Each structure stands twice: as C-alpha cells, then as structure tokens.
C-alpha cells in the first residue's frame, strides 16, 4: 500500500538540481541543433574538401591541422591574446570614459551641439584606421599607439550614441519632470540617465566589436607582439595554420569582450525590451 | 483648495516672420474652482497648446494666465498632469512610477505608501503594484498614470487627451473612475479631448475650440445630473447637447 504521506519527489535535492541542469543542457542543445549541425557540417566539409582537392597546407590547412599546430604553440598564443586583450580593453574603457561624458556634454549644450557635434559627425566619416601608421610613426611599437588607435575606433560609436541617448527624452517625460519642479540633477539621476542607457549600450556594443579590430590592425602596422603581429608573421612565413589559430583566439577575445558588455547590459537594463525573456 | 484659473487675452504663435504659425487665441476664459472644464476641438486646433500654457510649460506669446490671481510665469508644481502618451518609465514598477512623482519633488515616498495603495485600489490596480508598465494593457497603464498624476494630492488636474489611444470599453470604464474622483474631491479639472460625447459626459462646462487658430467659439454649461452613467447618456438631454455641439463643428466644416 502506498502511504499518502510519501514524498512526491523521491529524488534527493542535490540530485534533483543535477537532473534539472542536465535537462536544461539537453534542451539548450536540442534548441541549438540546427546551428550545431551546420557548424559541424561546415568544418567537416572544409576538412574533406581540402583533402579531396589536394589543396596544399601552405594555401589552406585543414581544421584538424590548425588545432594540432595551434595547440603546439599554445603558450605563445595565450601570451599574445593577453597582449591584444590588454590593448583592446584599455582602449575600450578609455573610449567609454571619454566618449560618454563628451556625449553627455554635447547633448546638454546647445553651443557644443552647433560646434563640436557637426565636427564629430564629419570625423565619423573618416576611416579612423587610416591614422594607424601615423600613430605608429609618432609613438613607436609600444602599447600606447595601439591603445590610442583602439580609442579612436571605439570613441565615435560611444560618443555619438550618447549624444543621441541623452538628447532624446520624450516631450511628455520632459514636461512631467518640469511640472514636478525637479532640478536638472535630480531629473538626470531619476529619469534622463536610466532612459538613456539602452541607446548608450548600442554604442558600447558597437565599440566592443570595433576594439579587437582596431588592436589587430594596429599590430599589423607595427608591432613585435600580439595576435595581429602573430597572424601577420605566420602569413608571411606561409603558415596559414598558425594564422588561423591566431584568428581563432582573436575571435574568442572579441566574443569575451562583447559578452562582458552584453552581461553589463543585462544587469543594468533588465527592464528594456531587448533584454526581456518571453 | 481648488484654484480658479483666469485666462486673459491669451494667444500663441510659433516661429517668427513669414514662417510664423498662429496656433491659438486670443482667448479669454475663466475656469471656476472645482469645475470640470473640457477643451473640445478638432486635431491641431491648439487645445493642447492652451493646456501646456496653463501648466506653465509653454510660454504665451501674448496675454496671461492667473491661478487665484497669481500670474503663471514658470511650470506650476501644484498641478497633476496627464498626457495621451503616459509618463510611466519602463525601469520602474507601477508603484515605483507613482513614487517617481514624489521623488522628483524631493519627497520621501515611504509615508505615501498607504495613499499609493488606496489610489491603486480605486482604479482596480491592486495586485499590480509590483508589475512593470510593459506587463500591463494600455488601459491599465493609463490608470497607473492617473495614480501618478494624483499621488501628491493636486487641486488642479490637467488632462491632455488621456484616453485618446484606448479602446471604447476601456475609455468608458476610466471615464467612470475619473468622474467618481472629481465628484469626491472636486479638484479643478481642465480636460482636453476631441470626443464630443466624452466632453458632455464628464464636464460641468464644455469649451468648444475652433479649428486653427483655436478660439473658444462657445462655452456650454452642461446641466445634466451626476453621476453621468449609461442612463444619463441615453437621455434626450444628453443627445441634444451632443447634437448641438456637432452642429457647431459642422458649420466649421470639421464634421
């Protein structure tokens, strides 16, 4: 006879959590299967197409060769990832630290809107990366010119989106705040800043994508370390296998930076439509 | 105490020179303390412009507005204001949005917790205090905005087509709430609308505003019993008011 007081879930709590986690993982994999299938299929096609058509390794290596030779050079790849990562993160943070207040100042100052803003918009049209050789020539092979180039490619998305973000509070909310008699500072903290965050994050995310691109190109131009340097040297030495390994680590670096910004966005504006889970 | 609002030779022109647009006026009007006055007119006639000038949120080109004899020269902070697009912010809950009105005024919302609860109950939103605006329907959002406009106990309420975007059933339901509030507390209400039926149902006085440049064509006292429920709306007197006002707009080619 079954007792009516028998526990409904006979699985212990710890095991229950594990089962749920496994279930979650299985479900996620099940949901991602089309992508995973495509991903695996793509690399299989690459592997066997190279073998089938007899493409020489110095033109296009197979994925398995890239993994094997990249693994053999892992200490250097990790060192260089740290170098490029430092340039990207420092430049990115500096661009945000400078771009956000400048964007804010332009949004609130009619004088700056008439003078600096058109200048920034014109500069946005200039391919900033074209300045890279100049900075290398002026400042040498060290960290500083790379950081400056990353700042250049990250600054404009941050600043221009901040100008837009802080300058576009709805008429209704502006009037509502004025009708309460709130001063500019209180209005800023309570309404303007949170209202501006989603648009600011558009700039932050775009800049995060630019950061590793800026650092890599700066390293192409003149460097003795970093993933850009590594890829450039590997290509010059007819070692595309190592170049691909470098590209793989650059991709991981870009994903990590973008992931951090996306996480910050999720934490700071969970209420925004882009963050809601349905 | 509810304020008497005196509007003297008020007009508003936007822009200058050949680009200037004469939006409103000149208008003279007295809104008695404790009355419910609707500004009724077609789109673009300047009725919202007049409301913003009354709130001190827009400067008049000529003339002046007085609250109990005191000239309006800056945004009035003793009013409650509500727009067609509500002023709820998405990062705060319903309760937090109502508290925002207080926080912007430098007030601590804690002592107002009971009042916020009562307000939410009065508009049938109890149980939704912790929800965010995006979790509510359009009608519920406007009800929450209504509480936001009332929490600091203003004696003058300005409504700029607050029901304009709602469906017919929700509009009817919120009109009932609005009417109940006015009958209980008797604030001075200025209500901008383009619905003739809404104006006649809610108002003690309807000001018929002409197409641009808006002028007050006629001030009509609505002599119907309160509360103006479905029965009153079905009465011949109600229909006559609606019909007379329709006639004015027909003469202007609006209808």
């Amino acid at each position: 006879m079954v007792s009516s007081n028998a526990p409904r879930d006979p699985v212990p709590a710890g095991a229950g959590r594990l089962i749920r986690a496994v279930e979650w993982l299985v479900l996620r994999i099940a949901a991602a299967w089309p992508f995973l299938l495509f991903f695996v299929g793509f690399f299989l096609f690459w592997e066997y197409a190279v073998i089938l058509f007899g493409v020489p390794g110095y033109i296009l290596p197979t994925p398995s060769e890239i993994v094997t030779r990249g693994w053999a050079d892992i200490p250097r790849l990790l060192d260089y990832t740290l170098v490029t990562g430092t340039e990207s993160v420092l430049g990115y943070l500096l661009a945000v630290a400078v771009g956000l207040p400048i964007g804010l100042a332009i949004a609130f100052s009619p004088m700056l809107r008439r003078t600096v803003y058109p200048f920034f918009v014109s500069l946005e049209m200039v391919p900033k990366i074209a300045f890279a050789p100049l900075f290398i020539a002026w400042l040498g092979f060290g960290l500083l010119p790379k950081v400056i180039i990353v700042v250049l490619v990250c600054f404009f998305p941050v600043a221009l989106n901040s100008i837009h973000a802080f300058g576009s509070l709805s008429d209704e909310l502006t009037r509502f705040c004025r009708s309460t008699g709130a001063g500019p500072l209180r209005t800023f903290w309570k309404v303007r800043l949170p209202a501006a965050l989603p648009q600011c994050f558009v700039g932050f995310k775009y800049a995060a994508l630019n950061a590793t691109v800026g650092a890599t190109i700066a390293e192409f131009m003149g460097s003795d370390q970093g993933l850009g340097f590594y890829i450039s040297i590997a290509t010059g030495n007819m070692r595309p296998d190592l170049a691909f390994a470098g590209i793989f680590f650059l991709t991981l670096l870009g994903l990590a930076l973008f992931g951090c910004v996306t996480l910050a966005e999720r934490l700071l504006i969970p209420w925004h439509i882009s963050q809601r889970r349905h | 105490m509810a304020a008497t609002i005196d509007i003297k030779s008020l007009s508003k022109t936007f822009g200058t020179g050949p680009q200037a647009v004469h939006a409103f006026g000149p208008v003279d009007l007295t809104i008695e303390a404790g009355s419910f006055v609707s500004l009724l007119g077609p789109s673009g006639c300047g009725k919202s412009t007049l409301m913003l000038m009354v709130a001190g949120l827009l400067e008049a080109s000529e003339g002046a507005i007085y609250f109990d004899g005191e000239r309006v020269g800056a945004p009035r902070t003793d009013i409650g204001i509500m727009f067609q697009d509500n002023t709820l912010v998405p990062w705060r809950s319903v309760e937090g949005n109502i508290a925002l009105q207080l926080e912007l005024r430098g007030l601590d919302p804690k002592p107002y917790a009971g009042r916020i609860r009562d307000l939410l109950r009065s508009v049938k939103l109890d149980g939704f205090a912790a929800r965010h605006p995006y979790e509510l329907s359009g009608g519920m959002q406007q009800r929450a905005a209504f509480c936001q406009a009332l929490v600091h106990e203003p004696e003058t309420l300005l409504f700029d087509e607050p029901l304009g975007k709602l469906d017919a059933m929700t509009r009817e339901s919120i009109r009932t709430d609005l009417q109940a509030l006015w009958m209980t507390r008797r604030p001075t209400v200025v209500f901008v609308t383009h619905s003739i039926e809404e104006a006649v149902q809610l108002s003690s006085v309807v000001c018929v505003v002409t197409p641009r440049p808006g002028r007050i064509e006629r001030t009509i006292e609505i002599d119907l019993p309160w509360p103006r429920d479905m029965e009153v709306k079905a009465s011949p007197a109600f229909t006559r008011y609606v019909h007379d006002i329709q006639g004015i707009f027909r003469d202007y080619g609006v209808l």
Side-chain angles (χ1 to χ4, degrees):
Chain A
M1 206 175 106
V2 178
S3 159
S4 58
N5 293 328
R8 290 179 64 192
D9 185 2
V11 184
R17 265 202 299 276
L18 184 67
I19 289 169
R20 276 195 295 277
V22 171
E23 268 174 9
W24 178 83
L25 193 66
V26 169
L27 282 174
R28 291 297 292 242
I29 293 171
W33 73 264
F35 165 72
L36 287 174
L37 199 67
F38 178 80
F39 197 73
V40 172
F42 174 78
F43 284 104
L44 281 177
F45 173 77
W46 179 353
E47 180 85 24
Y48 289 104
V50 167
I51 295 166
L52 191 69
F53 293 108
V55 182
Y58 60 86
I59 299 290
L60 183 65
T62 61
S64 57
E65 282 170 340
I66 295 168
V67 172
T68 325
R69 291 177 196 156
W71 184 251
D73 207 19
I74 198 80
R76 195 145 53 133
L77 278 165
L78 288 176
D79 275 354
Y80 285 176
T81 303
L82 191 66
V83 170
T84 310
T86 308
E87 294 161 2
S88 306
V89 171
L90 275 181
Y92 178 78
L93 292 177
L94 211 59
V96 171
V98 176
L100 193 65
I102 289 184
L104 189 64
I106 294 174
F108 286 107
S109 159
M111 177 59 89
L112 291 178
R113 268 187 104 89
R114 280 199 300 272
T115 52
V116 181
Y117 181 58
F119 178 65
F120 275 8
V121 173
S122 334
L123 269 185
E124 175 61 359
M125 304 300 137
V126 178
K128 265 74 64 186
I129 215 70
F131 291 103
L134 284 172
F135 281 108
I136 304 288
W138 291 335
L139 300 166
F141 274 29
L143 177 69
L144 185 63
K146 275 78 168 187
V147 171
I148 290 178
I149 290 158
V150 175
V151 170
L152 268 184
V153 295
C154 295
F155 171 81
F156 289 94
V158 171
L160 292 174
N161 277 288
S162 306
I163 295 168
H164 182 55
F166 288 108
S168 55
L169 192 67
S170 75
D171 285 346
E172 281 80 10
L173 267 176
T174 310
R175 285 168 183 155
F176 167 63
C177 293
R178 289 179 64 208
S179 78
T180 62
L185 210 61
R186 190 177 289 152
T187 304
F188 178 80
W189 285 116
K190 299 272 180 201
V191 179
R192 281 193 185 275
L193 179 64
L197 281 179
Q199 183 67 39
C200 286
F201 267 102
V202 172
F204 295 164
K205 282 161 89 174
Y206 190 71
L209 293 173
N210 278 359
T212 46
V213 177
T216 309
I217 294 180
E219 286 171 1
F220 284 166
M221 301 283 176
S223 182
D224 50 11
Q225 53 183 341
L227 289 172
F229 165 75
Y230 185 87
I231 293 164
S232 170
I233 296 296
T235 311
N237 290 340
M238 308 285 264
R239 292 294 304 272
D241 48 348
L242 295 182
F244 272 111
I247 291 167
F248 175 73
F249 274 84
L250 257 184
T251 310
L252 287 187
L253 187 62
L255 278 174
L257 189 56
F258 191 76
C260 287
V261 180
T262 308
L263 187 68
E265 185 185 31
R266 172 120 203 107
L267 291 173
L268 284 171
I269 53 166
W271 46 268
H272 191 247
I273 191 160
S274 63
Q275 305 301 312
R276 283 180 222 152
R277 287 188 181 134
H278 295 284
Chain B
M1 223 185 85
T4 298
I5 304 167
D6 271 314
I7 298 169
K8 304 271 188 205
S9 310
L10 191 78
S11 69
K12 180 68 187 175
T13 303
F14 290 102
T16 51
Q19 304 292 318
V21 176
H22 183 197
F24 192 80
V27 157
D28 285 280
L29 179 69
T30 297
I31 297 169
E32 297 294 343
S35 61
F36 193 122
V37 175
S38 282
L39 301 172
L40 172 67
S43 290
C45 72
K47 51 194 191 298
S48 299
T49 304
L50 171 60
M51 199 209 75
L52 291 176
M53 289 191 285
V54 170
L57 292 166
L58 189 66
E59 216 174 308
S61 303
E62 279 171 50
I65 300 165
Y66 300 88
F67 268 65
D68 283 337
E70 182 196 332
R71 188 174 176 150
V72 176
R76 301 277 318 180
T77 55
D78 55 349
I79 57 166
I81 193 161
M82 202 174 152
F83 302 97
Q84 187 173 29
D85 289 313
N86 66 61
T87 49
L88 303 178
V89 294
W91 59 89
R92 281 178 175 242
S93 64
V94 165
E95 196 174 20
N97 265 289
I98 300 170
L100 182 64
Q101 171 82 261
L102 304 165
E103 290 173 34
L104 283 169
R105 291 165 186 273
L107 299 170
D108 178 9
K110 277 196 201 94
Y112 289 82
R115 172 156 174 78
I116 293 175
R117 236 185 349 263
D118 290 347
L119 277 168
L120 287 173
R121 197 177 306 122
S122 73
V123 295
K124 304 167 203 84
L125 275 183
D126 34 349
F128 290 90
R131 298 282 179 166
H132 280 74
Y134 56 81
E135 297 175 282
L136 309 182
S137 68
M140 290 161 98
Q141 287 182 14
Q142 282 308 72
R143 288 174 196 275
F146 185 51
C147 299
Q148 188 190 54
L150 292 176
V151 68
H152 55 300
E153 304 188 61
E155 295 295 342
T156 306
L157 290 168
L158 307 179
F159 294 107
D160 187 4
E161 299 192 41
L163 313 180
K165 286 188 174 170
L166 303 179
D167 63 275
M169 285 174 99
T170 311
R171 283 173 80 117
E172 192 59 52
S173 162
I174 298 184
R175 278 178 204 166
T176 310
D177 292 344
L178 243 175
Q179 191 169 234
L181 166 98
W182 180 73
M183 287 172 66
T184 323
R185 294 191 44 232
R186 284 290 177 140
T188 307
V189 177
V190 181
F191 190 88
V192 171
T193 180
H194 55 241
S195 162
I196 298 172
E197 190 200 316
E198 190 165 273
V200 173
Q201 184 187 356
L202 292 175
S203 316
S204 48
V205 175
V206 174
C207 297
V208 179
V209 184
T210 64
R212 201 183 67 211
R215 289 191 180 83
I216 292 178
E217 161 73 32
R218 197 115 62 92
T219 303
I220 304 165
E221 283 203 31
I222 308 293
D223 188 15
L224 290 171
W226 303 93
R228 297 191 182 146
D229 51 17
M230 290 299 180
E231 211 169 294
V232 174
K233 284 178 79 177
S235 68
F238 186 91
T239 313
R240 205 161 39 247
Y241 278 119
V242 172
H243 184 261
D244 286 352
I245 296 171
Q246 280 173 340
I248 299 170
F249 287 123
R250 206 173 299 123
D251 290 345
Y252 274 100
V254 176
L255 288 177

